[in-house]
Amino acid sequence: MLKVTSALLFSTALFTPATHGVIQDQQWGNWFGNISAMEFEINGDNATGERITLTCTGGHLTVAYSVPAEDYRVSSETGLAEPGLNINSRPYPPGEAAFMALKQAGERGQVKITSMGQNISKAFKTAGLQEALKNVTWQDCTSR
């Protein structure tokens, strides 16, 4: 009986999320993802089923756009021509100015993904974005 109890305790410890380092997504209004010392990836979905993903990696901000229902995804790292963000009706290339505009977008703002100066997505609401980014600096982003 002791062997069975020991085996159960060992397998419970082996398969707990804390043991495997699984990080649960955080939620901020319309945005979700993970912001930690090691990871920065936040996502937002809009009413038409599109998804925006903002990632800080390799010392810069990357933008990805996807339509999960159609298994379609492009990003600034994999071929999205001149990706940009239209934040509250003002265009920005991915970078520090865009990051700061996202931090200050307000709860009723909108973000759209652009390519070659044209909007390619419908609007993503900014509710929760300020909360998600409140403790993150541009230096935090570029140091990942």
Side-chain angles (χ1 to χ4, degrees), residues 94-117:
E96 184 175 8
F99 183 83
M100 297 310 292
L102 290 166
K103 283 183 66 96
Q104 299 166 4
E107 290 297 301
R108 296 180 187 210
Q110 293 185 348
V111 176
K112 294 179 184 173
I113 298 189
T114 63
S115 180
M116 299 179 70

Side-chain angles (χ1 to χ4, degrees), residues 42-96:
I42 57 174
N43 306 278
D45 293 332
N46 65 18
T48 61
E50 299 170 318
R51 176 167 291 166
I52 183 175
T53 302
L54 303 171
T55 308
C56 287
T57 185
H60 61 278
L61 177 66
T62 61
V63 178
Y65 166 71
S66 61
V67 184
E70 297 175 14
D71 198 26
Y72 174 77
R73 179 180 172 90
V74 293
S75 79
S76 55
E77 292 188 321
T78 61
L80 182 58
E82 299 178 38
L85 295 169
N86 183 322
I87 304 165
N88 292 334
S89 299
R90 189 158 178 223
Y92 295 89
E96 184 175 8

Side-chain angles (χ1 to χ4, degrees), residues 21-40:
V22 174
I23 299 173
Q24 298 294 320
D25 275 352
Q26 299 168 14
Q27 182 81 38
W28 309 274
N30 293 332
W31 297 81
F32 61 95
N34 291 302
I35 298 176
S36 67
M38 299 299 292
E39 182 177 13
F40 178 102

Side-chain angles (χ1 to χ4, degrees), residues 104-131:
Q104 299 166 4
E107 290 297 301
R108 296 180 187 210
Q110 293 185 348
V111 176
K112 294 179 184 173
I113 298 189
T114 63
S115 180
M116 299 179 70
Q118 300 296 313
N119 292 330
I120 62 170
S121 74
K122 300 294 184 192
F124 295 89
K125 295 181 180 180
T126 59
L129 191 54
Q130 230 173 355
E131 179 186 355

